Amino acid sequence: MRKMLGAVATLMLWACGGAGGAPESAPKTEGLSLSTEPGVTQGSFVRTGAEVTFSSREVESGVYRLELRLHGMTLTGLLDPANGVSTMDGFADGNAQDTQLLDADRELVSALYAELNTALPAGDAAAPEAMYLRRAVGLWAENPTTVELKRLVMGEQGRGYTMLCSYAKCNGKFTGSCGGVYNWYSYAKHDCNKGGFDWAGNQQIAQLGDHTSCSGDEYYLSGSTWLCGEPDHWSRPKVMGICWGRCGGGCGGDTQYTLDATNHDGCVRNGHMLASAYCDDQFVSASDDELFAPNCY
């Protein structure tokens, strides 16, 4: 307990250290500019004239300081994966006051996340500072406007997060011995204005993994027919689609399948939007999963 409290105190002191260490601004050339060296991953990304600069540094053994700057705001994180503790924050550059991510901010950060997934080695092959940068960027890309950026995120396997790797067999795809073999997870659950976790309309029976899609959407079973789309609060429909149950937006560079991430998917894919306030509690619950949960494959 003392070790954990000491880690939290150390993180809070780091979090108050300002936004120093940001990489110098680069010319606004469209696309990703990325540089890596031992202990440091940094660069910039420009999309339709909007720029975000980013850095991730190992500031002491196994502790990583992250920073994103975009649209007049700074997002910071200090991660201590060994202790499962992180501090996250966001503030306006002009007055250092608390701020929030809006749709335009999430779109830019989401585009950066997609670029990092392509440019960085997948999973554990990435350097730790690069992997945790990617995970934090993925988390910020989904941060609802109604969830405060300044918060403490703590996770511990078996308590903070529950792994569901066994439901994403064969690297999450219908390939090899998994061709045509279904492995359903029951149930992806959420609560909202329509009811609680125990209401069947807030539950879906999900095929975890990256199996199939239709026009960027998913499939659901209606009778004996698979239809393209997302059922809106049906009673426990069977569903499958792009990276169901996987931490991060879409199919990121990491392969973490967890209970809380599955429930978050079950909310945003069941009649709600990504930044819906009804899914805030599922997002918060899945935050430690995305930052700290190990990769399944």
Side-chain angles (χ1 to χ4, degrees), residues 134-153:
R134 176 173 60 207
R135 291 184 176 193
V137 169
L139 185 64
W140 278 317
E142 295 187 300
N143 199 107
T145 302
T146 46
V147 173
E148 290 187 6
L149 290 168
K150 185 175 183 179
R151 54 199 178 95
L152 182 68
V153 180

Side-chain angles (χ1 to χ4, degrees), residues 4-18 65 78 85-89 150-153:
M4 178 61 74
L5 291 175
V8 172
T10 300
L11 290 175
M12 295 304 289
L13 287 173
W14 272 104
C16 294
R65 181 173 178 81
L78 191 72
V85 182
S86 69
T87 59
M88 313 293 285
D89 200 357
K150 185 175 183 179
R151 54 199 178 95
L152 182 68
V153 180

Side-chain angles (χ1 to χ4, degrees):
M1 176 62 72
R2 288 190 179 185
K3 181 178 179 182
M4 178 61 74
L5 291 175
V8 172
T10 300
L11 290 175
M12 295 304 289
L13 287 173
W14 272 104
C16 294
E24 293 183 2
S25 299
K28 290 191 176 182
T29 302
E30 291 283 320
L32 180 71
S33 174
L34 179 69
S35 68
T36 60
E37 57 185 88
V40 181
T41 297
Q42 59 185 349
S44 63
F45 173 65
V46 179
R47 181 172 182 259
T48 60
E51 181 180 28
V52 52
T53 61
F54 57 87
S55 66
S56 177
R57 302 171 184 274
E58 187 176 26
V59 292
E60 59 181 82
S61 181
V63 178
Y64 306 92
R65 181 173 178 81
L66 285 58
E67 180 180 282
L68 267 67
R69 290 190 172 195
L70 70 152
H71 294 165
M73 73 174 69
T74 298
L75 307 177
T76 64
L78 191 72
L79 276 65
D80 181 358
N83 287 303
V85 182
S86 69
T87 59
M88 313 293 285
D89 200 357
F91 51 87
D93 292 338
N95 55 18
Q97 296 297 308
D98 291 344
T99 188
Q100 294 290 0
L101 290 168
L102 303 179
D103 287 343
D105 307 317
R106 280 187 290 268
E107 289 173 6
L108 181 58
V109 177
S110 181
L112 169 62
Y113 181 56
E115 291 289 328
L116 292 175
N117 289 331
T118 300
L120 295 173
D124 296 334
E129 63 275 5
M131 182 179 72
Y132 290 115
L133 170 68
R134 176 173 60 207
R135 291 184 176 193
V137 169
L139 185 64
W140 278 317
E142 295 187 300
N143 199 107
T145 302
T146 46
V147 173
E148 290 187 6
L149 290 168
K150 185 175 183 179
R151 54 199 178 95
L152 182 68
V153 180
M154 304 178 68
E156 179 182 352
Q157 187 167 343
R159 296 178 65 184
Y161 55 85
T162 301
M163 303 302 298
L164 298 180
C165 297
S166 62
Y167 289 93
K169 295 182 177 179
C170 296
N171 293 351
K173 299 181 183 294
F174 288 137
T175 58
S177 61
C178 289
V181 177
Y182 292 89
N183 188 32
W184 299 107
Y185 175 76
S186 303
Y187 300 103
K189 302 178 181 180
H190 75 280
D191 59 343
C192 64
N193 58 318
K194 295 181 179 293
F197 287 93
D198 57 347
W199 181 52
N202 283 345
Q203 302 175 1
Q204 295 172 300
I205 304 174
Q207 179 67 40
L208 303 192
D210 179 20
H211 294 298
T212 186
S213 67
C214 51
S215 302
D217 216 322
E218 66 181 26
Y219 283 97
Y220 64 98
L221 192 61
S222 177
S224 59
T225 304
W226 286 102
L227 300 177
C228 179
E230 295 184 358
D232 187 348
H233 294 88
W234 284 25
S235 178
R236 296 176 181 152
K238 288 186 174 180
V239 294
M240 60 179 174
I242 291 293
C243 295
W244 242 102
R246 187 165 165 174
C247 291
C251 296
D254 290 283
T255 57
Q256 310 144 281
Y257 290 88
T258 71
L259 174 62
D260 290 337
T262 297
N263 285 342
H264 184 237
D265 267 0
C267 185
V268 301
R269 301 189 193 213
N270 192 0
H272 302 294
M273 299 179 64
L274 176 63
S276 171
Y278 292 121
C279 302
D280 282 1
D281 50 345
Q282 281 76 51
F283 170 80
V284 171
S285 294
S287 295
D288 61 313
D289 304 45
E290 182 156 5
L291 292 179
F292 300 124
N295 287 303
C296 288
Y297 50 84

